[in-house]
Each structure stands twice: as C-alpha cells, then as structure tokens.
Amino acid sequence: MSIHLQGKTALVTGASKGIGRAIALKLAAAGAQVAVNYHKSEEEAKSVVQAIEQSGGKALLVRADVTKLDQIDKMVEQVEEAFGKIDILVNNAGHMIRRMANAEMSEELYEQVMDLNLKSTVFVCKRVMAGMIARRSGTIINMASVAAHTGGGGGSSVYAASKAAVIAYSKGLAKELAPRGIRVNVVSPGFIGNTDFHATVSTAEGRAKAVAAVPLGRQGEPEDVAGVVLFLASDLAAYLTGETIEINGGSFMR
Ligand code: NAP
C-alpha cells in the first residue's frame, strides 16, 4: 500500500538540507506540491526544487528567515498565491546553533535558540492556520528532539528546553484546532547522522557513542524521519492529534 497526497500542498521550513530536504522529497514523491523554504543555503534549496521537478512534481523555492515575523508573512503569502492553499505544514527549521554550558549561557545564544526552534514554530503556525481554519482542514507537523525528554547532551540544555516547549505548544495547539478539523503532531528524532546539524555540534567520538547506543544498530537517516512525517501528513493518521512520535531506533523509549 502506498500513500498518495495528490491535490495536496505542503510547506516545509528548513528544506534546503538534512531532514527537511528528505521530508520535501518524500511529500513530493507522494504527489504533494511542495514549497521548499530555506534561509542561507540557496544552492542546496534549488537542488531540492530541481530534484522534485525532475521527478515530475511541482515545487516552489521560498526564502525566509523563519525567526522574523515579516518574512514569515511574505513566505506564506507567496506559497498561498502559488498553490492556492497550504494543506500540510512541516515546521522543521531548527538547530542547537552551538553547545554552551549553562554556567556560561549568554542572552544572545538563549534568544537565538528559542527564536529558531520555538518562536518560528509558533508564528509560522499562526500565519498558516488562518487558511486552514477557513477551510476547516489541514495538518501540522512540528519538529522536536529526543533532547526534549533527556535534557540533551553536554551544553544543549536550552536547545532541549526549546524542543520540550515545542511539544507542549503543539499539544495546546492540537486541542485548540481539533474542533476546526486540523491535526497537530510532533516528530521527535534521536541521533540522525548525515546532517549538517551533527557536523556542526558533535565530535566524531560523540557521534560514534550515540550510534553504539542504538538498539536497532545503526544511525538514523533523514529518510527515517521523512517516512513518519509522510504518515502523519496522510489520512492514515486521521485520528491522531497532539501526539509525539519518537524516531530513534529504540535508543530512548518513553
Ligand atoms: P540541518 O541539516 O542543519 O538543517 C537545518 C535546516 O534549518 C536547514 O535547511 C537551514 O536552512 C534551516 N534553517 C536554519 N535556520 C533557519 C532560519 N532562520 N530560517 C529558515 N530556515 C532555517 O539540521 P537537521 O539535522 O536536518 O535538523 C532539522 C530539524 O531536526 C531541526 O529542527 C533539528 O533541531 C531537528 N533534529 C535533528 C536531529 C539530528 O540528529 N540531526 C535530532 C533531533 C532533532 P539554511 O541552511 O538554508 O539556512
């Protein structure tokens, strides 16, 4: 059985690389028209759009810093104009930025991390849900992390807190939007290798240790996360809202 999203439209934030790229490709392969948001990595984002178009799909390149409300507004306006609506929103953009011990925590890093992971999610949801509410239909998938439950590895407590806040926010939003026909869920990855994320914030030793602790015996791939997002975006998940799905090969079980 395969999942079909023909006639559906999606906006994936942070889709220029890593997990977001895999999600954009997966949704497009299922037939959705996909808006590929990026901030700095223009060439990588263009290559995602090209890959979708070469496979016969439809994609839109849309640049926006999702921590800025005016840029969120413009991005959503652009997508709604091109596609007519947004059925599927994936708030994937996020990062730890860098590790910093709590004893050294700066206001600047605190604000960057909270803005990128939580503020972006809250305000992209706010802007996109207006159209979903008007149509009484839509599905939102927000990106957390196993760190939300564990407090994260060294120097990532604020990142962990921002992702825990994404989970709590998504539950509240799910309650608010359920009577209006909109589902809200969260995916929560463990260690997903082959991403710039870990190339930036983790040592080779730390990465090897994380993989060694995975019961399924391998690192996670961006496609592992994308598959779960595809399920949540589809009608197979029609009775699922306010849920967080952990994707970590068994390394953390709630
Ligand atoms: P990644 O490869 O570093 O990609 C991050 C993406 O976020 C890029 O596309 C980047 O776009 C985008 N982004 C960053 N700042 C942005 C901004 N201000 N506005 C718009 N887009 C922005 O990271 P990843 O591993 O794929 O992570 C994706 C998500 O999964 C994040 O929310 C991360 O916290 C979460 N996660 C990852 C892991 C993991 O093991 N990798 C584990 C748990 C959770 P540009 O490059 O174009 O700026």
Side-chain angles (χ1 to χ4, degrees):
M1 186 171 110
S2 47
I3 296 177
H4 297 291
L5 296 177
Q6 271 87 10
K8 300 284 185 192
T9 61
L11 166 60
V12 183
T13 68
S16 52
K17 48 187 158 172
I19 296 171
R21 177 182 196 279
I23 293 170
L25 294 175
K26 186 74 88 184
L27 295 178
Q33 298 176 33
V34 180
V36 174
N37 159 253
Y38 73 100
H39 180 212
K40 295 185 175 153
S41 308
E42 186 169 8
E43 287 315 308
E44 286 94 330
K46 279 183 176 164
S47 84
V48 178
V49 169
Q50 270 164 16
I52 292 172
E53 289 174 345
Q54 276 164 11
S55 308
K58 189 168 172 193
L60 176 75
L61 186 69
V62 56
R63 185 187 179 279
D65 176 348
V66 293
T67 67
K68 303 279 189 285
L69 269 60
D70 58 335
Q71 297 190 33
I72 291 173
D73 256 356
K74 276 193 201 129
M75 167 179 74
V76 176
E77 214 175 281
Q78 222 180 313
V79 180
E80 288 181 336
E81 203 179 302
F83 291 167
K85 57 177 181 155
I86 299 172
D87 297 305
I88 301 159
L89 167 63
V90 185
N91 278 303
N92 164 78
H95 212 285
M96 190 188 293
I97 301 180
R98 61 185 166 278
R99 295 183 188 272
M100 191 178 279
N102 291 307
E104 317 293 332
M105 184 52 60
S106 67
E107 188 177 8
E108 186 195 12
L109 182 64
Y110 171 86
E111 286 177 350
Q112 283 176 342
V113 171
M114 294 304 282
D115 283 2
L116 181 53
N117 296 293
L118 180 61
K119 180 183 174 188
S120 70
T121 300
V122 170
F123 288 98
V124 177
C125 282
K126 181 186 172 194
R127 182 60 184 80
V128 172
M129 78 174 81
M132 290 181 168
I133 289 170
R135 291 189 315 281
R136 291 194 63 79
S137 119
T139 179
I140 296 174
I141 296 140
N142 294 328
M143 186 65 65
S145 164
V146 67
H149 309 292
T150 64
S156 63
S157 309
V158 172
Y159 169 73
S162 73
K163 292 298 195 182
V166 166
I167 294 176
Y169 167 74
S170 302
K171 287 181 184 173
L173 186 64
K175 286 188 211 169
E176 194 176 310
L177 295 184
R180 305 175 115 157
I182 301 159
R183 298 184 294 104
V184 182
N185 291 291
V186 177
V187 289
S188 173
F191 178 84
I192 308 299
N194 290 330
T195 54
D196 275 8
F197 184 97
H198 283 294
T200 324
V201 298
S202 303
T203 60
E205 194 191 2
R207 297 165 78 155
K209 212 170 136 190
V211 177
V214 177
L216 283 180
R218 64 167 176 88
Q219 70 176 12
E221 298 293 339
E223 290 70 23
D224 292 315
V225 182
V228 179
V229 170
L230 175 62
F231 160 70
L232 286 172
S234 77
D235 287 345
L236 287 179
Y239 201 51
L240 205 58
T241 196
E243 185 54 278
T244 297
I245 301 188
E246 307 296 330
I247 310 161
N248 54 47
S251 57
F252 172 81
M253 300 182 192
R254 274 191 293 158

